[in-house]
Amino acid sequence: MAIKNAIAVMTSGGDSPGMNAAARAVVRTALFEGVKVFGIHNGYKGMLNDEIEELTARSVSDLIQRGGTFLGTARCKEFKTVEGRRKGLDNLEKHGIEGLVIIGGDGSLTGGSMLSKEGGIPIVGLPGTIDNDVWGTDYTIGCDTAANTAVDAINKLRDTASAHRRIMVVEVMGHTSGWLALVAGIASGAEFVIVPEVKYDLDDICRQIVESYQGGRRYSIIVVAEGACSGVGLKNVVQEKTGIDTRVSILGHIQRGGSPSVEDRMKASMLGERAALAIISGASDVVFGFDEGKVVSINLFDSVYNKKTLDPELVRLSSVLV
Ligand code: F6P
């Protein structure tokens, strides 16, 4: 059923650059269509605590260039209970909210699927995470900026590694997904990329590094996803096995911040508009993402029940180029 009165938008889980651009597009599109928009602050926690306010076009001005999320985000244990979700649904009803756009990673979208199932409220999801690990889309909001941030850091680390003839282990984010490590590794010309999804042979890596140093190489960069192994542990083993001076740099939450790239701003804006139009026209249980450069819609339940795998073409490319 088409929505006549009001929708809400929220961000949830780990923030990612471009979430603001997406929320801005949702708000402005809904207002353009004559529908009121509420912002839910601090994710599911804010939904339960009734941190909900009506937004205007001005609420989202001066935002497109900002990282983080003006709506705030939080992780919420209470939402994992049926009672918690009931409380959240009651608050939405209180404000006359007829549909909800959720911007977040797979955990946040799973929360949305539960609200839809238990409360019958229309839900449209947008994938927002630097991990790029949402099933059904080859892009998630923020992944491009995070990859650029990691590549920029690796460029700098290469200078100092080369000056000292050191091995540099660079730990990037990604608990269960190696997308960021893989892309940052390929785009920065790292010698080795270690990701949770692909088996690796540390003895072989160390042997190759020693041989390359014997051939005159001045440095070696190993990019490792945090979920594959700890950067500190890896640094210790590599130093011991190669006998070469090794350092570790953990990029951490730097990867989550910063002004979004043009790609993230554009794609987030396109997704935000599609999400608002879809929910207003009565759609539910869909996630909008990208496939080969085009906006696509994915079933929400398919998206959260399936696990995205790494693109085998990228895995192959990284093994050829290192
Ligand atoms: O899900 C996004 C992500 O940035 C992961 O890559 C990372 O492991 C995690 O969030 C870190 O979460 P927190 O900010 O809670 O430490």
Side-chain angles (χ1 to χ4, degrees):
M1 211 170 51
I3 286 178
K4 295 207 167 52
N5 185 33
I7 64 165
V9 60
M10 65 182 273
T11 51
S12 167
D15 61 297
S16 66
M19 279 183 162
N20 281 331
R24 170 183 180 268
V26 170
V27 172
R28 295 218 166 144
T29 304
L31 294 176
F32 188 80
E33 297 293 319
V35 170
K36 277 199 271 187
V37 194
F38 287 86
I40 300 173
H41 294 276
N42 305 317
Y44 289 117
K45 201 168 165 209
M47 185 188 290
L48 268 58
N49 294 337
D50 198 15
E51 296 169 50
I52 299 173
E53 65 160 358
E54 193 175 338
L55 300 173
T56 65
R58 267 193 73 195
S59 316
V60 291
S61 61
D62 193 20
L63 261 193
I64 196 162
Q65 78 282 12
R66 292 179 201 266
T69 159
F70 82 106
L71 288 170
T73 182
R75 311 226 190 245
C76 177
K77 273 203 186 130
E78 202 187 341
F79 184 77
K80 293 193 173 142
T81 65
V82 182
E83 300 73 43
R85 292 193 289 276
R86 190 65 260 162
K87 211 162 131 189
L89 285 162
D90 289 346
N91 284 333
L92 297 180
E93 208 182 305
K94 192 168 89 186
H95 292 280
I97 293 164
E98 300 157 274
L100 174 61
V101 176
I102 300 168
I103 308 167
D106 52 3
S108 309
L109 298 175
T110 302
S113 71
M114 289 169 166
L115 285 178
S116 164
K117 220 179 346 184
E118 292 168 13
I121 182 161
I123 300 286
V124 170
L126 292 182
T129 164
I130 65 164
D131 295 343
N132 200 359
D133 61 349
V134 175
W135 188 89
T137 172
D138 55 27
Y139 164 83
T140 57
I141 295 163
C143 71
D144 182 64
T145 306
N148 278 293
T149 300
V151 167
D152 182 49
I154 296 167
N155 288 342
K156 290 168 178 156
L157 292 167
R158 181 197 301 274
D159 292 343
T160 172
S162 170
H164 290 265
R165 287 206 85 190
R166 281 173 174 157
I167 300 169
M168 189 64 75
V169 171
V170 187
E171 184 189 295
V172 303
M173 277 188 166
H175 257 304
T176 55
S177 163
W179 181 88
L180 186 57
L182 194 59
V183 168
I186 294 171
S188 66
E191 280 67 46
F192 301 96
V193 181
I194 298 179
V195 294
E197 297 92 336
V198 181
K199 277 205 176 115
Y200 60 95
D201 179 344
L202 205 45
D203 286 327
D204 188 48
I205 290 175
C206 291
R207 184 190 48 76
Q208 289 187 52
I209 294 176
V210 169
E211 274 175 22
S212 71
Y213 268 63
Q214 284 163 351
R217 199 170 172 86
R218 289 202 60 84
Y219 66 88
S220 205
I221 307 275
I222 306 175
V223 177
V224 59
E226 63 182 337
C229 68
S230 109
V232 174
L234 184 63
K235 174 241 162 205
N236 291 337
V237 176
V238 168
Q239 171 142 322
E240 198 186 303
K241 282 188 189 287
T242 60
I244 298 167
D245 202 15
T246 305
R247 293 289 187 273
V248 58
S249 184
I250 298 168
L251 301 188
H253 287 80
I254 283 212
Q255 297 159 100
R256 285 242 294 262
S259 182
S261 65
V262 172
E263 182 176 346
D264 280 330
R265 294 180 196 197
M266 290 300 297
K267 287 188 166 163
S269 299
M270 290 162 81
L271 292 176
E273 186 205 26
R274 282 294 289 272
L277 290 176
I279 201 134
I280 289 168
S281 68
S284 182
D285 300 340
V286 289
V287 174
F288 286 100
F290 275 86
D291 185 24
E292 295 182 350
K294 294 258 178 299
V295 177
V296 289
S297 72
I298 309 134
N299 178 277
L300 173 65
F301 295 93
D302 287 347
S303 179
V304 298
Y305 292 147
N306 287 295
K307 168 95 184 103
K308 186 172 172 183
T309 50
L310 271 187
D311 179 354
E313 264 308 295
L314 285 186
V315 176
R316 191 195 54 76
L317 183 62
S318 91
S319 71
V320 170
L321 299 185
V322 295

